[in-house]
């Protein structure tokens, strides 16, 4: 699906997505990724949802966002609370949603100037 949004050229925005990739500022990124308005971290959570751990959220906490949108692939899945403990302890808000909803919500919050990180997971191949 292709997304269009009037944007500040200094912001990272999701301009499209597929079953195995994201388009960020019209540039393709394969695999699980963290997206913030000022940086992109590829290779995030290499084990995917099934092997997601609290350690995967350490780089998210280092980014110090106000809120994290956790996109769990093509369907909504909830990580165990212990996995989210680093976010809870850092007092960082989070929302769990499927990947398409996380992409759309990220774009809206980023355009509003919010401190947001999208932690996006794709379904295992």
């Amino acid at each position: 699906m292709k997304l269009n949004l009037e944007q500040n050229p200094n912001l990272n925005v999701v301009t499209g997505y597929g079953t195995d990739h994201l388009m960020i500022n019209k540039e393709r990124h394969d695999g699980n990724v963290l997206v913030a308005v000022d940086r992109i971290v590829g290779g995030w959570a290499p084990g995917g949802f099934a092997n997601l751990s609290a350690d995967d959220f350490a780089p998210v906490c280092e980014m110090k966002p106000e809120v994290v949108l956790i996109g769990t692939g093509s369907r909504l899945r909830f990580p165990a609370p212990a996995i989210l403990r680093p976010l809870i302890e850092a007092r960082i808000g989070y929302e769990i949603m499927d990947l398409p909803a996380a992409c759309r919500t990220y774009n809206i919050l980023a355009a509003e100037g919010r401190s947001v990180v999208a932690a996006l997971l794709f379904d295992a191949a």
Side-chain angles (χ1 to χ4, degrees):
M1 171 179 281
K2 199 174 233 186
L3 300 176
N4 293 310
L5 175 70
E6 292 292 324
Q7 69 175 8
N8 174 337
N10 298 320
L11 297 179
N12 289 321
V13 294
V14 179
T15 52
Y17 54 84
T19 58
D20 63 347
H21 71 280
L22 285 175
M23 300 297 288
I24 302 170
N25 301 331
K26 299 181 182 176
E27 183 178 319
R28 186 180 172 116
H29 294 268
D30 294 310
N32 302 335
V33 65
L34 297 174
V35 183
V37 295
D38 62 346
R39 71 185 100 165
I40 301 164
V41 179
W44 177 70
F49 185 85
N51 295 306
L52 198 59
S53 73
D55 291 340
D56 291 319
F57 287 97
V60 177
C61 291
E62 290 171 9
M63 297 168 116
K64 299 184 182 189
E66 179 182 331
V67 66
V68 178
L69 306 173
I70 304 169
T72 61
S74 64
R75 63 187 175 89
L76 183 61
R77 299 177 282 182
F78 292 91
I83 293 171
L84 301 172
R85 177 131 331 269
L87 298 176
I88 295 165
E89 289 175 353
R91 301 181 60 82
I92 296 171
Y94 63 88
E95 291 289 333
I96 312 293
M97 48 189 75
D98 63 27
L99 186 128
C103 291
R104 292 187 304 268
T105 305
Y106 166 82
N107 282 351
I108 292 167
L109 294 178
E112 289 176 350
R114 301 277 300 273
S115 175
V116 60
V117 170
L120 304 172
L121 297 159
F122 288 92
D123 297 331

Short mmCIF file of all heavy atoms in Angstrom, two decimals, residues 9 13 16 18 28 30 35 44 48 50-51 53 56 69-70 83 88 90 97 110 118-119 125:
data_model
loop_
_atom_site.label_atom_id
_atom_site.label_comp_id
_atom_site.label_asym_id
_atom_site.label_seq_id
_atom_site.Cartn_x
_atom_site.Cartn_y
_atom_site.Cartn_z
N PRO A 9 10.53 17.85 5.28
CA PRO A 9 11.56 17.03 4.65
C PRO A 9 12.60 16.50 5.63
O PRO A 9 13.37 15.61 5.29
CB PRO A 9 12.19 17.97 3.62
CG PRO A 9 11.84 19.34 4.07
CD PRO A 9 10.55 19.23 4.82
N VAL A 13 9.25 9.49 7.38
CA VAL A 13 7.86 9.07 7.32
C VAL A 13 7.76 7.78 6.51
O VAL A 13 8.55 7.54 5.60
CB VAL A 13 6.92 10.14 6.71
CG1 VAL A 13 6.83 11.35 7.60
CG2 VAL A 13 7.33 10.52 5.33
N GLY A 16 5.21 3.82 2.35
CA GLY A 16 4.61 2.60 1.82
C GLY A 16 5.07 1.40 2.60
O GLY A 16 6.02 1.48 3.39
N GLY A 18 4.86 -3.27 2.52
CA GLY A 18 4.42 -4.53 1.94
C GLY A 18 4.54 -5.62 2.98
O GLY A 18 4.78 -5.34 4.16
N ARG A 28 13.50 1.86 0.27
CA ARG A 28 13.11 0.54 0.77
C ARG A 28 13.99 0.09 1.93
O ARG A 28 15.20 0.21 1.90
CB ARG A 28 13.20 -0.48 -0.36
CG ARG A 28 12.68 -1.85 0.04
CD ARG A 28 12.79 -2.84 -1.09
NE ARG A 28 12.46 -4.17 -0.64
CZ ARG A 28 11.43 -4.88 -1.05
NH1 ARG A 28 10.65 -4.39 -1.99
NH2 ARG A 28 11.21 -6.08 -0.58
N ASP A 30 14.22 -3.47 4.29
CA ASP A 30 13.75 -4.85 4.50
C ASP A 30 13.96 -5.27 5.94
O ASP A 30 14.96 -4.90 6.57
CB ASP A 30 14.50 -5.81 3.58
CG ASP A 30 14.18 -5.55 2.12
OD1 ASP A 30 12.99 -5.47 1.79
OD2 ASP A 30 15.12 -5.42 1.32
N VAL A 35 11.81 3.02 13.63
CA VAL A 35 11.72 4.27 12.89
C VAL A 35 11.39 5.39 13.87
O VAL A 35 10.39 5.33 14.58
CB VAL A 35 10.63 4.22 11.80
CG1 VAL A 35 10.61 5.51 11.00
CG2 VAL A 35 10.81 3.02 10.89
N TRP A 44 16.52 -4.58 13.69
CA TRP A 44 15.97 -4.64 15.05
C TRP A 44 15.25 -5.97 15.26
O TRP A 44 14.62 -6.50 14.35
CB TRP A 44 15.01 -3.47 15.27
CG TRP A 44 14.35 -3.52 16.61
CD1 TRP A 44 14.97 -3.30 17.82
CD2 TRP A 44 13.00 -3.83 16.91
NE1 TRP A 44 14.07 -3.45 18.83
CE2 TRP A 44 12.85 -3.78 18.30
CE3 TRP A 44 11.90 -4.15 16.12
CZ2 TRP A 44 11.64 -4.03 18.93
CZ3 TRP A 44 10.70 -4.41 16.74
CH2 TRP A 44 10.57 -4.34 18.13
N GLY A 48 12.39 -11.84 15.35
CA GLY A 48 10.98 -11.64 15.07
C GLY A 48 10.12 -11.69 16.31
O GLY A 48 10.62 -11.75 17.44
N ALA A 50 8.24 -14.05 17.55
CA ALA A 50 8.33 -15.29 18.33
C ALA A 50 9.49 -15.28 19.32
O ALA A 50 9.41 -15.91 20.38
CB ALA A 50 8.46 -16.49 17.40
N ASN A 51 10.56 -14.55 19.00
CA ASN A 51 11.73 -14.51 19.87
C ASN A 51 11.97 -13.12 20.45
O ASN A 51 13.08 -12.82 20.91
CB ASN A 51 12.96 -14.98 19.11
CG ASN A 51 12.83 -16.43 18.71
OD1 ASN A 51 12.59 -17.29 19.54
ND2 ASN A 51 12.96 -16.70 17.42
N SER A 53 12.40 -10.18 22.90
CA SER A 53 12.83 -10.19 24.30
C SER A 53 12.93 -8.77 24.83
O SER A 53 12.94 -7.80 24.06
CB SER A 53 14.18 -10.88 24.44
OG SER A 53 15.21 -10.06 23.95
N ASP A 56 15.50 -6.51 23.28
CA ASP A 56 15.19 -5.84 22.01
C ASP A 56 14.70 -4.41 22.23
O ASP A 56 14.77 -3.60 21.31
CB ASP A 56 14.15 -6.63 21.22
CG ASP A 56 14.68 -7.95 20.69
OD1 ASP A 56 15.84 -7.98 20.24
OD2 ASP A 56 13.95 -8.95 20.76
N LEU A 69 5.17 2.75 19.20
CA LEU A 69 4.12 2.01 18.50
C LEU A 69 4.73 0.69 18.07
O LEU A 69 5.69 0.66 17.28
CB LEU A 69 3.65 2.79 17.27
CG LEU A 69 3.19 4.21 17.56
CD1 LEU A 69 2.91 4.95 16.27
CD2 LEU A 69 1.98 4.22 18.48
N ILE A 70 4.23 -0.40 18.61
CA ILE A 70 4.78 -1.73 18.32
C ILE A 70 3.88 -2.39 17.29
O ILE A 70 2.75 -2.77 17.59
CB ILE A 70 4.89 -2.58 19.60
CG1 ILE A 70 5.74 -1.83 20.64
CG2 ILE A 70 5.48 -3.95 19.29
CD1 ILE A 70 5.71 -2.44 22.03
N ILE A 83 8.42 -8.79 28.57
CA ILE A 83 9.17 -8.30 27.40
C ILE A 83 9.11 -6.77 27.34
O ILE A 83 10.06 -6.11 26.92
CB ILE A 83 8.63 -8.94 26.11
CG1 ILE A 83 8.94 -10.43 26.12
CG2 ILE A 83 9.19 -8.26 24.87
CD1 ILE A 83 8.27 -11.21 25.02
N ILE A 88 8.17 0.00 30.42
CA ILE A 88 7.40 0.34 31.63
C ILE A 88 8.30 1.02 32.66
O ILE A 88 7.96 2.06 33.21
CB ILE A 88 6.74 -0.93 32.21
CG1 ILE A 88 5.70 -1.48 31.22
CG2 ILE A 88 6.11 -0.64 33.57
CD1 ILE A 88 5.25 -2.90 31.50
N ALA A 90 11.07 2.61 32.16
CA ALA A 90 11.52 3.90 31.66
C ALA A 90 10.37 4.91 31.55
O ALA A 90 10.59 6.04 31.13
CB ALA A 90 12.21 3.73 30.31
N MET A 97 -0.20 -2.72 17.96
CA MET A 97 -1.13 -2.72 16.83
C MET A 97 -0.52 -3.52 15.69
O MET A 97 0.66 -3.90 15.77
CB MET A 97 -1.48 -1.29 16.40
CG MET A 97 -0.31 -0.37 16.24
SD MET A 97 -0.77 1.38 15.99
CE MET A 97 -1.28 1.88 17.60
N ALA A 110 4.22 11.70 14.13
CA ALA A 110 5.45 12.37 13.69
C ALA A 110 5.11 13.74 13.08
O ALA A 110 5.79 14.73 13.36
CB ALA A 110 6.20 11.50 12.69
N ALA A 118 8.44 3.95 16.02
CA ALA A 118 7.68 2.79 15.55
C ALA A 118 8.63 1.59 15.57
O ALA A 118 9.69 1.63 14.94
CB ALA A 118 7.15 3.03 14.15
N ALA A 119 8.29 0.58 16.33
CA ALA A 119 9.05 -0.67 16.40
C ALA A 119 8.27 -1.68 15.57
O ALA A 119 7.24 -2.18 16.00
CB ALA A 119 9.18 -1.12 17.86
N ALA A 125 9.11 -15.43 7.53
CA ALA A 125 8.99 -15.92 6.14
C ALA A 125 8.60 -17.37 6.09
O ALA A 125 8.84 -18.14 6.93
CB ALA A 125 10.28 -15.71 5.40
#
